[in-house]
Structures are given as structure tokens and as C-alpha cells.
């Protein structure tokens, strides 16, 4: 049976040491000092690896690209343009969350707002696949996570003016990392590497399902 075919761009949020084109170098930081920009890059590599493994196992023909592979920052519009210029079917921007009160938990996935988002229904459907996949992967290891759903937000990195009409894009906020329990879950515990791999595999399966 023929597998899926398509081009997927993985966008690790933030990077570098200075703001570039509206993209801050880093936002969230864990209690132990792990930076969001490093967590997004690490997760992007894991997702790419999981996609490559899934492509081989499922006879899929996938082109997997990353907006960055090192600690550098890229402007928000340029992240979208990279996907457009790559003729990508899907763009997934990876982020981790934080709250002012350090008391929030959960996964949420964002799409660009209507009316400028001409792909809104298709992007919501895509985002729901990502949201369900990441939430279930985390919940399997920590039932205290929460499903915060798919939300509309004005996001320059997903703006159709830069992304174009072909590419569907969404941004997943994988968890709130400004807490000791999520730092333990994703970074510090002996099981953290397995948790990260499980999240990456779930994301890869959702991306393939979305093609």
C-alpha cells in the first residue's frame, strides 16, 4: 500500500542571543535553568528522527526540514517564508509555555486568527491532531497535565501573508516548563528521555496523519 507523501517543516521556537524580526531569543526557563530555546531545538531533532523512522516503516515519502539546526534566531516572518519557499505542506512551530504565577499546566495548540487566515478550517483540523497527540503522550506519563485545546491567536510566524495558501501551519505549546514537576518530567528524571521520545513519536504520527 502506498504511503503518504509531503514536505514538513519543523520550526524550533526562539534561539540565539538577540531578538530578530519579532522573535525573542528565549522566553520560558525551567526551575533548574533549562532554556525553552534549547528544549525546542532538542524536540525538533527528535521529531525529525521520528518522522524518518515512521517514513521507513510506513513507506512514506517525506521531506523533513528544520528552520534552524543551531542556536540562532530567525525572524517570525522568515520562519513562515522558509516553509513557503520550501513548498511545504505543513509547518509545525514548537514552543514550551510559562505563566506569571507559575501554576499553569497543560498543552495548547495555536492557529492564526481569521479573517486573514484563509486556511483556518484546515489548520484547525491539523492543530487538533497535534493537540490530541501531544496531550495523550504527556498524559500517559503524567495525568496532571491538562488539555487546553486549540486556540486562535495573531501569530506572525503563521501569517498567510508570509506562509502562503498551500502550507498549513500551527504552533504547539508542549507544556508549562516553569514548574518543578514539568522540569522533572521533561528534563531531570531518569524517564525524561523516554517522555521526550514519546512526545516526538506522537507528533510525527500526527504530522503524517495530517498530510
Amino acid at each position: 500500500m502506498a504511503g503518504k507523501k509531503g514536505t514538513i517543516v519543523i520550526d524550533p521556537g526562539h534561539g540565539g542571543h538577540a531578538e530578530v524580526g519579532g522573535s525573542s531569543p528565549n522566553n520560558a526557563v525551567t526551575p533548574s535553568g533549562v532554556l525553552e530555546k534549547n528544549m525546542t531545538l532538542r524536540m525538533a531533532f527528535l521529531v525529525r528522527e521520528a518522522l524518518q523512522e515512521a517514513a521507513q516503516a510506513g513507506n512514506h515519502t517525506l521531506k523533513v526540514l528544520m528552520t534552524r539546526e543551531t542556536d540562532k534566531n530567525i525572524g517570525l516572518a522568515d520562519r513562515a517564508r522558509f516553509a513557503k519557499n520550501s513548498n511545504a505542506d505543513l509547518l509545525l512551530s514548537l514552543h514550551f509555555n510559562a505563566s506569571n504565577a507559575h501554576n499553569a499546566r497543560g498543552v495548547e495548540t495555536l492557529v492564526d486568527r481569521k479573517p486573514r487566515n484563509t486556511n483556518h478550517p484546515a489548520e484547525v483540523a491539523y492543530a487538533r491532531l497535534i493537540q490530541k497527540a501531544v496531550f495523550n503522550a504527556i498524559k500517559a506519563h503524567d495525568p496532571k497535565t491538562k488539555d487546553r485545546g486549540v486556540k486562535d491567536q495573531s501569530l506572525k510566524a503563521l501569517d498567510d501573508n508570509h506562509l502562503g495558501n498551500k502550507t498549513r501551519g500551527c504552533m504547539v505549546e508542549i507544556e508549562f516548563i516553569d514548574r518543578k514537576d514539568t522540569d522533572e518530567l521533561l528534563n531531570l528524571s531518569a524517564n525524561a528521555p523516554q517522555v521526550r521520545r514519546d512526545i516526538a513519536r506522537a507528533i510525527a504520527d500526527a504530522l503524517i496523519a495530517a498530510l
Side-chain angles (χ1 to χ4, degrees):
M1 187 173 73
K4 295 285 192 78
K5 183 176 182 179
T7 299
I8 297 170
V9 170
I10 308 299
D11 174 37
H14 307 290
H17 303 281
E19 181 173 320
V20 176
S23 176
S24 58
N26 190 73
N27 280 354
V29 182
T30 75
S32 70
V34 184
L35 302 180
E36 177 187 0
K37 67 173 185 175
N38 295 330
M39 292 179 68
T40 63
L41 186 58
R42 179 176 63 188
M43 183 58 68
F45 283 124
L46 288 172
V47 171
R48 183 172 71 177
E49 182 180 317
L51 281 167
Q52 290 165 343
E53 291 173 356
Q56 191 169 14
N59 198 29
H60 307 300
T61 304
L62 304 180
K63 184 177 183 181
V64 184
L65 304 170
M66 289 168 53
T67 56
R68 68 179 182 97
E69 298 187 32
T70 60
D71 183 21
K72 69 175 182 179
N73 204 355
I74 301 166
L76 298 176
D78 285 339
R79 294 172 189 263
R81 289 190 193 103
F82 178 87
K84 180 182 179 181
N85 294 338
S86 302
N87 203 30
D89 298 284
L90 301 172
L91 167 65
L92 178 63
S93 188
L94 300 174
H95 286 257
F96 290 86
N97 227 331
S99 69
N100 291 332
H102 308 298
N103 61 357
R105 282 294 311 266
V107 182
E108 61 189 33
T109 306
L110 311 174
V111 297
D112 199 30
R113 289 187 187 279
K114 295 188 289 186
R116 73 179 186 183
N117 184 355
T118 56
N119 288 338
H120 190 266
E123 289 188 345
V124 168
Y126 162 41
R128 283 176 178 157
L129 289 173
I130 297 295
Q131 174 68 20
K132 182 178 179 182
V134 175
F135 170 71
N136 286 338
I138 294 175
K139 188 179 180 182
H141 292 279
D142 183 355
K144 295 191 298 294
T145 192
K146 295 181 180 179
D147 185 349
R148 299 170 64 91
V150 172
K151 302 177 181 180
D152 279 13
Q153 196 166 311
S154 294
L155 297 164
K156 196 171 183 180
L158 303 178
D159 187 341
D160 282 354
N161 289 318
H162 312 297
L163 191 60
N165 294 323
K166 178 191 174 181
T167 306
R168 286 169 287 148
C170 70
M171 177 184 293
V172 61
E173 296 274 5
I174 294 173
E175 247 295 357
F176 286 79
I177 59 170
D178 56 325
R179 298 169 51 112
K180 289 183 179 179
D181 54 355
T182 51
D183 197 6
E184 192 74 19
L185 176 73
L186 296 169
N187 296 309
L188 303 178
S189 71
N191 196 45
Q194 186 61 54
V195 175
R196 296 194 299 264
R197 284 193 296 271
D198 287 351
I199 294 169
R201 279 197 291 265
I203 290 173
D205 289 345
L207 286 164
I208 292 170
L211 286 174

